[in-house]
Amino acid sequence: MPRSKPNWSPLWLTCVLLGLTAVHAIDVLTVPQQVSLSANTSTQQLSISWLGGAAATFDLMILRTEFNITVFYDTVSATVNQESGRHQWDWTSVEPLECTSLSVRIRSRDGETTSDWSHTQILQGNDLPSYETIQVLPQDRIVPVGANTTFCCIMAEGKQFGTIKYGNTVMHETRLSRRSYAVTAVNQGLSSQTGTNVLCKDKLKSNSWGSVVFVGYPPLPSDFVCETHDLISAVCRWNKGRDTRLYGKRGTSYTLNNRKCDFSSTQKKRDEWRVAQWGGNWTLVAANPLGRHVLTDSAELRHRVRPVAPESLNSAVHAWNATVLWQWKYDIYSSLALDCQVELSSQGYKTKRTFSGLGLQSVVLSDLDPDEDYSVQVRCGAQQNFWNWGSWSEPLSFKTNTYVPEALDVWMWINKDYTAQVIWKPLTRRQSHGLITRYEVTFWSPEENRQRTEFFLPDTSAVLINLTQIATISGDDKVTATVIARNAAGVSQPASVHVPLRLTDVEPGSVSRAVVYTDTGFPLFWQRDDNATCSYVVEWYEASCKWNCPVGWIKVAAGTTNVSVESADFQPGVMYDISLYSITSEAPELLQRWQGYMQELVPSASVSLSTTQQGSDILLTWGEIPLVVRRGFLLGYNIYISSGSELTLLANLSDLGSREYTVKGLPEGSYKFTVKAYTSAGEETGVTASITLEPYTDWLILEILASMGITAIFLVIVTFVCYKKRKWVKKAFYPDIPEPKLPGDWSRSQEPLDVKPSPHSLVHMVERPEWDSSKEVLVVIPEEEEDEDGLGDEPADTDEPASLRYYNHVADERPIRPRFPDSSSSSASSLDSARTDVTYTGIQTSGSSLVFQLDPQGSSEGHQPQADLSFCRGGGGGGGGGYRPQMQSRAPSDDTDLASPEPFFEPQAASSGGYKPQSSWHLDSPVEAGENDGLAPSLGSPTSIASTQFLLPDGEEHADERRSSSAATWFTNLLSSTKP
């Protein structure tokens, strides 16, 4: 069968084209149409609606019309109204909608595909030229605390913007349009009762316009409850909670069970509402412009009974009790079991007492204090299904009657001068039971039954008595003092104390124990005393007090062995003596004593410090700190040395009895020492003393003085011994010169010897060839006639002058040695006289010399040369100023012309430096005297028989004795005039 060609008709082609056109139409989005704007100025919300086809999302743009500034641009999903098919979306503006005109445009969006923008819709603001006055928006806005609010100011035409102030704060503005300016207040606080002002001023500040904003809280009531007073109606109460700070028409309104609570001006309480009939269920709604709050409650009638306050209170008063009566507002209370509470107030103290009964209308208050003011209030509650106490009644005041006072608490205090005080504790108002009119004190002796009563004013609390005076008129060893108090109702019970008349000064075995204060006071413990038949008394007073001290005391039962002492008078830093006495029928006996501080402090005063140098050591000494300023138990002393601004601890002395310290081995210099006493509370400020360590010369002075003293003692001992042994000393050091032994009759020894001179008394010098004429030789001196008025009358310089007339020519075989005078003032003698008086006062040396020169022209033996005797002393000329020795020949003869053909000369005698006595007479025997023509050789000696001087020996072997003679002269002179 042959295949036919398809028949492409024009109808089929038309359908294909129409289908393609439809698909393209679906791909193109619909532009939103019929856009409408609806503004809610109170909420600043703009509602936008439009017809938008099938699109699900839309781009929304909001601009400020005048400046064309975008305010909002976002893609939103709008809701669709199923009935009208319109899309709707709400936008809330930050600024009030009236501040400026807004332009709105919308377009559809499907993914990345969008439609064209809709026509622009404009929401007109108040900044149009038609509004000629200045406007501040929003007006009277109510916002919660912490909100942010934007205000705008629309200036009038021709006015320039100035400032916007929120309260007292100038705000920073934002320009919205040509005439509109906006500010934002952030985190707003509570406003006052009249709100917070927002003021806008022009540049000239000629006028100001403003708005008021109220910032507060939404209502938040609590504790909603309903109860009954009369068992019929209900009274609902609630707690309003915090103050919303919104008042008047903006304040909180309440509705109870859908009925508005209309608080009239006569009802002051805005937190309760009365319902005429008990309903059982209640709902409370509280609302204000910022929000609302709902509370509910439900209960049975008998479970919510709260009686009203008692009325018409009255009292019947006695000394120790009082009856309080009242009445009820509702008669139904007479059949209601009640619990009533009475609040009793007195002297600032309040106590509550509870009473129960059916229809209770009176109570009896017992255990009251006489003569006391009281105030009472009463409230009651249901005894069954107790719900709550009712309201307090009005207070009732009354005063109890007077009664006799309580017995006094009496004690005594004894001073060291045998005076005592009888003391008692003043009665308080509650103890006195009325006004005290006087005190009566009676002193009596139980054994002698003698008594004496004295009266004292009400402000008296102590009586001074003289124990010595009472003891002289009483034979007892104690006196009993009885004290009573009197008021309008009578006298108190007598209180007595035994006062000893004679102090024994007996202290207990354990005294002054330290006790530490605790939170409950001073804890005291003691051994039980069987003699304490009545009680114990614990007494305390300040330890620094010595006379009529303020004393505190308490009485403790006889079987007690411990107690804590507490007093409001205890002060920190004060030492207290606490004593325990046993009370018997006799006088009180001291058992034990303690000392303690309520609180130890550092001492308030320092020690008195002094320093003393002891060689290279320094002794620190200080005094004791007085008890009143110690303020604690002293534990010791800290000793510091100061080095600049730092203190270095040298020692810690815990021995309180030692108040000195020696710092040893310090070099010379200045030092500062500080001594600080310390207690358990710490150190006191301390006292500083300075000292400069100097070379110690006292010991040197003491050594010198000791040496001198020892020397003086030694000399005294030597002098004493010498005095006792003066015979031996004189014999050993200064023997007596023997008297001359001469033959013949020498009985007239006290008269001068009269020796006839020999016919010739000349010394002839014989010239010897071997001698040098230039040497010193003896010169011949011619004998002249005896002159009775010669030098013999010259006074002698001796203490014991002795005169001896002797013959100046004595024959001796030994040569005559020239002698030198002992001094320039020695006794003079003359060779031209046969009789010579010679006086010696002592042996002296001099620098003078006796020079004999030989005349060089006298060389003939038969010729007698002219003799020249030259005696030099200190430049003085000759002339017999000293002793001139007698010369004699070696061999005597009877020839009177010449003594010797060859005179003998001894050259060393001329050069000798001191006096040498004539020592050429050695004829000590009568035989020798006979050989010399009967003349005693000793008569030629110039030493008198009365002389007490030593003669210097000849020769160099006695040189040492000559040198030591002058050193012993003082001692010799001392012994020379002393005779046993």
Side-chain angles (χ1 to χ4, degrees), residues 683-860:
E683 292 180 330
E684 43 98 1
T685 56
V687 62
T688 300
S690 302
I691 186 174
T692 300
L693 199 61
E694 299 177 348
Y696 193 66
T697 59
D698 292 350
W699 283 112
L700 179 59
I701 296 174
L702 291 177
E703 290 177 359
I704 295 174
L705 294 177
S707 300
M708 295 177 64
I710 293 174
T711 303
I713 294 173
F714 176 74
L715 293 177
V716 169
I717 293 175
V718 170
T719 303
F720 178 76
V721 172
C722 291
Y723 178 77
K724 289 294 185 181
K725 300 294 183 179
R726 59 186 177 276
K727 292 183 179 180
W728 176 84
V729 172
K730 184 175 183 181
K731 181 179 181 180
F733 295 97
Y734 190 57
D736 293 336
I737 299 175
E739 296 180 357
K741 299 178 181 180
L742 300 175
D745 186 9
W746 295 87
S747 58
R748 298 176 61 187
S749 58
Q750 294 182 356
E751 296 181 0
L753 293 177
D754 190 5
V755 180
K756 294 295 182 179
S758 61
H760 300 282
S761 180
L762 296 176
V763 177
H764 295 274
M765 301 300 300
V766 179
E767 182 179 359
R768 295 181 66 176
E770 62 272 14
W771 286 4
D772 188 356
S773 61
S774 61
K775 295 183 180 179
E776 296 177 352
V777 296
L778 291 176
V779 179
V780 179
I781 302 174
E783 183 177 2
E784 297 179 357
E785 292 296 328
E786 182 179 358
D787 188 1
E788 295 296 332
D789 300 326
L791 298 174
D793 296 335
E794 184 178 338
D797 54 350
T798 179
D799 293 337
E800 296 180 0
S803 179
L804 175 63
R805 294 179 181 178
Y806 64 95
Y807 184 60
N808 61 356
H809 182 81
V810 179
D812 193 353
E813 294 179 356
R814 289 168 289 188
I816 299 175
R817 299 177 184 177
R819 302 301 181 190
F820 300 93
D822 56 346
S823 65
S824 61
S825 59
S826 61
S827 300
S829 64
S830 176
L831 291 178
D832 59 350
S833 177
R835 297 176 62 187
T836 304
D837 292 337
V838 182
T839 302
Y840 296 94
T841 59
I843 300 174
Q844 298 180 359
T845 62
S846 68
S848 63
S849 62
L850 186 61
V851 180
F852 299 92
Q853 295 183 354
L854 183 63
D855 188 358
Q857 296 178 1
S859 59
S860 177

Side-chain angles (χ1 to χ4, degrees), residues 198-218:
V198 181
L199 299 178
C200 177
K201 295 183 179 181
D202 58 10
K203 192 171 185 179
L204 299 177
K205 298 182 180 180
S206 58
N207 295 309
S208 61
W209 293 261
S211 175
V212 179
V213 61
F214 298 91
V215 185
Y217 294 106

Side-chain angles (χ1 to χ4, degrees), residues 535-611:
S535 62
Y536 295 102
V537 171
V538 178
E539 170 196 87
W540 63 87
Y541 57 91
E542 293 184 13
S544 59
C545 180
K546 302 301 181 184
W547 181 270
N548 290 342
C549 300
V551 182
W553 72 92
I554 58 173
K555 292 184 178 180
V556 184
T560 306
T561 57
N562 63 86
V563 72
S564 290
V565 177
E566 176 61 54
S567 173
D569 297 331
F570 287 153
Q571 299 295 326
V574 178
M575 176 184 282
Y576 293 94
D577 280 346
I578 305 174
S579 304
L580 175 68
Y581 293 88
S582 64
I583 305 303
T584 64
S585 58
E586 301 298 327
E589 179 183 358
L590 177 63
L591 299 180
Q592 192 166 321
R593 179 167 290 162
W594 297 267
Q595 287 183 333
Y597 289 88
M598 174 186 176
Q599 179 183 355
E600 291 193 56
L601 304 175
V602 298
S604 60
S606 302
V607 299
S608 56
L609 179 62
S610 62
T611 57

